[in-house]
């Protein structure tokens, strides 16, 4: 497999101590991250968040989306369970990269919704390769999970990749006046369950 669990170390956070795994994807040359907590072996399903990179929302406090609050809520839930995995996948802008995401934001500033903006730039509404999530979990030897998401495509893609998703845990966090239209488009056009 081209995805290698290349290095790991302790990662203390405000939600407790995780183990950080740096994963090297030899195909795309991208470096992904998995934060794990507790013993992941055994038959009990593992609580998992598959999070796509959003530099603006995760690190720069943007209120255009719900990514930052979802990221924090996921770490909180894993810490409460004492066991789980957060995959941080480098799929910025639903796979179109940072520069194109900001171009898409500029089009949204002129009135387009998030799907129209992607399409007008020549991209699919969602350009992510979700098989990566399955490969990452396989690299961590996790096969039975409770998935924290509102996105049914993530559930389907993981099932297709051979991961047993026994439960979907809703992630409704971070709604605000600036992301209302974004969230309603996710629901109306991208199939998110809110
Ligand atoms: N192209 C584009 N990408 C966006 C926009 N807003 C947020 N994103 C990206 O969308 C992705 C959000 O990913 P996730 O948090 O995994 O969310 P999701 O697929 O909506 O599903 P959930 O698991 O329900 O959160 C990140 O890669 C963001 O950078 C936008 O307006 N345009
Ligand atoms: Zn975001």
């Amino acid at each position: 497999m081209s995805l290698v669990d290349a290095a790991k170390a302790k990662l203390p956070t405000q939600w407790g101590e995780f183990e950080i795994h740096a994963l090297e994807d030899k195909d795309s040359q991208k470096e992904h991250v998995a934060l794990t907590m507790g013993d992941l072996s055994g038959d009990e399903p593992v609580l998992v968040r598959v999070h796509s990179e959003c530099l603006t929302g995760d690190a720069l406090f943007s209120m255009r989306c719900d990514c930052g609050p979802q990221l924090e809520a996921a770490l909180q839930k894993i810490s409460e369970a004492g066991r789980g995995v957060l995959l941080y996948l480098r799929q910025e802008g639903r796979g179109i990269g940072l520069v194109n995401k900001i171009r898409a934001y500029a089009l949204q500033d002129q009135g387009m919704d998030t799907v129209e903006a992607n399409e007008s730039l020549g991209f699919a509404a969602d350009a992510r390769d979700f098989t990566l999530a399955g490969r990452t979990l396989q690299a961590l030897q996790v096969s039975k999970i409770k998935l924290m998401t509102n996105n049914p495509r993530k559930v389907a893609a993981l099932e297709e990749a051979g991961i047993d998703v026994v439960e979907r845990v809703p992630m409704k966090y971070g709604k605000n006046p600036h992301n209302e239209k974004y969230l309603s488009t996710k629901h109306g056009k991208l199939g998110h369950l809110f």
Side-chain angles (χ1 to χ4, degrees), residues 54 56-57 65-67 101 105 182:
C54 177
T56 46
C65 59
D66 54 349
C67 302
K101 182 174 84 168
Y105 278 169
Y182 170 71

Side-chain angles (χ1 to χ4, degrees), residues 56-57 60-66 174-180:
T56 46
L60 301 175
F61 317 104
S62 167
M63 295 172 80
R64 293 191 76 125
C65 59
D66 54 349
K175 191 172 175 192
N176 72 64
H178 305 281
N179 65 20
E180 228 166 88

Side-chain angles (χ1 to χ4, degrees), residues 23-144:
L23 303 156
E24 275 181 330
D25 187 348
K26 303 278 185 196
D27 290 341
S28 67
Q29 301 291 316
K30 287 204 170 169
E31 297 174 325
H32 306 285
V33 163
L35 297 187
T36 67
M37 184 180 273
D39 180 4
L40 303 178
S41 64
D43 203 40
E44 191 61 26
V46 178
L47 189 59
V48 172
R49 167 77 184 158
V50 174
H51 195 87
S52 299
E53 178 176 20
C54 177
L55 184 73
T56 46
D58 297 337
L60 301 175
F61 317 104
S62 167
M63 295 172 80
R64 293 191 76 125
C65 59
D66 54 349
C67 302
Q70 284 184 322
L71 181 60
E72 293 192 15
L75 293 173
Q76 170 84 38
K77 281 175 184 290
I78 290 169
S79 137
E80 280 162 13
R83 180 171 183 262
V85 177
L86 179 121
L87 298 183
Y88 194 86
L89 304 180
R90 311 299 291 281
Q91 304 172 311
E92 175 61 67
R94 292 200 297 271
I96 67 176
L98 181 63
V99 169
N100 286 318
K101 182 174 84 168
I102 305 307
R103 287 187 180 124
Y105 278 169
L107 294 173
Q108 290 169 64
D109 288 343
Q110 291 161 23
M112 286 188 196
D113 68 31
T114 182
V115 169
E116 291 162 349
N118 258 38
E119 287 171 351
S120 114
L121 291 170
F123 298 107
D126 189 342
R128 282 174 289 184
D129 174 6
F130 282 112
T131 60
L132 177 63
R135 285 163 53 216
T136 322
L137 288 174
Q138 276 149 6
L140 295 168
Q141 299 186 317
V142 169
S143 60
K144 195 171 174 185

Side-chain angles (χ1 to χ4, degrees), residues 145-190:
I145 68 170
K146 292 188 273 188
L147 187 63
M148 295 183 267
T149 185
N150 305 314
N151 185 349
R153 285 191 55 220
K154 282 186 185 171
V155 177
L158 285 173
E159 293 269 9
E160 234 166 82
I163 306 291
D164 185 8
V165 183
V166 299
E167 189 184 327
R168 182 183 71 84
V169 179
M171 291 298 276
K172 295 178 207 160
Y173 300 96
K175 191 172 175 192
N176 72 64
H178 305 281
N179 65 20
E180 228 166 88
K181 184 176 175 194
Y182 170 71
L183 294 180
S184 73
T185 304
K186 272 201 196 186
H187 174 62
K189 290 193 173 176
L190 293 171

